[in-house]
Amino acid sequence: MKIHEYQGKEIFRRSGVAVPQGFVANTPQEAAEAFKKLGGPIAVVKAQIHAGGRGKGTLKEIPAQRGVQLVKSAEEAAKVAEALIGNTLVTIQTGEEGKKVNQVLVEAGCNIDRELYLGIVVDRTAKGPVFMVSPDGGMNIEEVAEHTPDRIFYEKFDVDTGLLGYQARKLATTLGLKGKSIGTAEKFFRALAKMFVTYDCSMVEINPLVVTKEGELLALDAKVTFDDNATFRHPDLAELRDLTEEEPAEVRAAQSGLS
């Protein structure tokens, strides 16, 4: 089961994983109000669909419009939201058919110093969850894995003890973090590992994970997938499901008790 970025970030926030402030908008007017609420000079309007590559993705109806755009006023936020909502975004992950955008996330801008990659997956070979990090964030991680696999680093952790302090610091050092950022990263990584286990996730990905000029870590993205076999333990997650993003045949099969 997949959820939207804004939903993943709310779970991050509740779990102690730092994210930028943001508001969901279903109309251009709501996007303008969100920009005003954030109160900063810049914000980012992000299409909400179950697919990655939105920043490079384009609308079928308006090829010049990207799925993620920086804005500097409430009027500009409304204009971008009007272009996105109701139209079809095509990314490297959606295929040519694309996905319809029904809502956007209007998020506060931040002072980015570095962009990193972070993911957690269940590794059957390792028989447990594994952290994956790379200093090459903001890129297609598939390309990094194919062309420079030595730039991706792994750390297995135990589901009962979680990610230990020394493991988190090792990952932070591997990423080239220094000073204040190491302590911030330790708290961030351990909180994310705990969330992964608590919610029975099958995959969590943050690309990019940014280090701000102030030395803080922020999840600028949130891709979260839950293990379908464990959703009975989390009835509260059912309301996060967006059936319009799922394959209709799969939805009908699940309703009939079929795989």
Side-chain angles (χ1 to χ4, degrees):
M1 171 181 158
K2 297 180 180 180
I3 58 176
H4 287 292
E5 174 192 0
Y6 76 90
Q7 296 168 322
K9 283 182 173 174
E10 180 54 36
I11 294 176
F12 281 5
R13 188 178 289 109
R14 295 202 302 260
S15 303
V17 178
V19 298
Q21 185 181 13
F23 300 97
V24 180
N26 297 293
T27 67
Q29 293 74 22
E30 289 179 3
E33 288 302 316
F35 184 94
K36 294 175 183 177
K37 286 180 184 178
L38 292 173
I42 61 172
V44 183
V45 180
K46 311 175 78 174
Q48 297 298 283
I49 61 171
H50 287 182
R54 292 166 297 158
K56 294 181 180 179
T58 57
L59 293 179
K60 270 189 178 181
E61 299 83 356
I62 312 173
Q65 177 63 56
R66 299 285 184 177
V68 177
Q69 184 173 327
L70 186 72
V71 296
K72 297 181 179 180
S73 68
E75 293 74 18
E76 192 177 359
K79 182 179 179 181
V80 173
E82 183 176 18
L84 290 172
I85 296 173
N87 285 325
T88 305
L89 183 63
V90 178
T91 78
I92 191 172
Q93 292 188 8
T94 65
E96 294 182 1
E97 67 276 10
K99 284 183 177 289
K100 183 180 178 181
V101 180
N102 295 312
Q103 53 201 346
V104 297
L105 173 63
V106 183
E107 194 168 73
C110 62
N111 295 318
I112 299 175
D113 185 42
R114 292 182 61 199
E115 293 189 348
L116 312 172
Y117 170 86
L118 186 156
I120 307 178
V121 297
V122 176
D123 189 318
R124 295 183 182 277
T125 303
K127 299 180 180 179
V130 175
F131 247 86
M132 302 186 300
V133 299
S134 174
D136 299 328
M139 302 170 61
N140 294 324
I141 194 62
E142 295 84 1
E143 294 181 8
V144 177
E146 180 179 356
H147 301 296
T148 54
D150 58 308
R151 299 283 288 173
I152 302 177
F153 304 93
Y154 305 87
E155 186 72 26
K156 176 186 174 182
F157 66 93
D158 186 83
V159 294
D160 293 318
T161 59
L163 187 75
L164 300 178
Y166 82 90
Q167 292 178 299
R169 292 190 294 274
K170 175 184 174 183
L171 289 168
T173 303
T174 298
L175 289 170
L177 300 180
K178 298 179 181 179
K180 173 184 176 181
S181 295
I182 293 180
T184 301
E186 180 180 350
K187 179 181 177 182
F188 188 104
F189 294 166
R190 297 186 72 183
L192 191 68
K194 183 178 180 180
M195 186 211 88
F196 185 89
V197 175
T198 299
Y199 284 93
D200 289 299
C201 298
S202 56
M203 189 272 291
V204 170
E205 186 177 56
I206 302 173
N207 190 28
L209 166 66
V210 302
V211 183
T212 68
K213 295 188 183 299
E214 296 76 29
E216 300 293 335
L217 268 67
L218 284 177
L220 243 59
D221 192 17
K223 186 181 293 184
V224 181
T225 303
F226 304 102
D227 183 350
D228 290 337
N229 295 316
T231 52
F232 71 93
R233 288 201 287 258
H234 308 281
D236 55 313
L237 296 179
E239 64 185 36
L240 303 182
R241 190 176 181 187
D242 186 349
L243 297 180
T244 64
E245 291 281 342
E246 299 182 22
E247 173 61 42
E250 292 286 356
V251 174
R252 292 196 301 273
Q255 291 171 343
S256 300
L258 302 173
S259 176

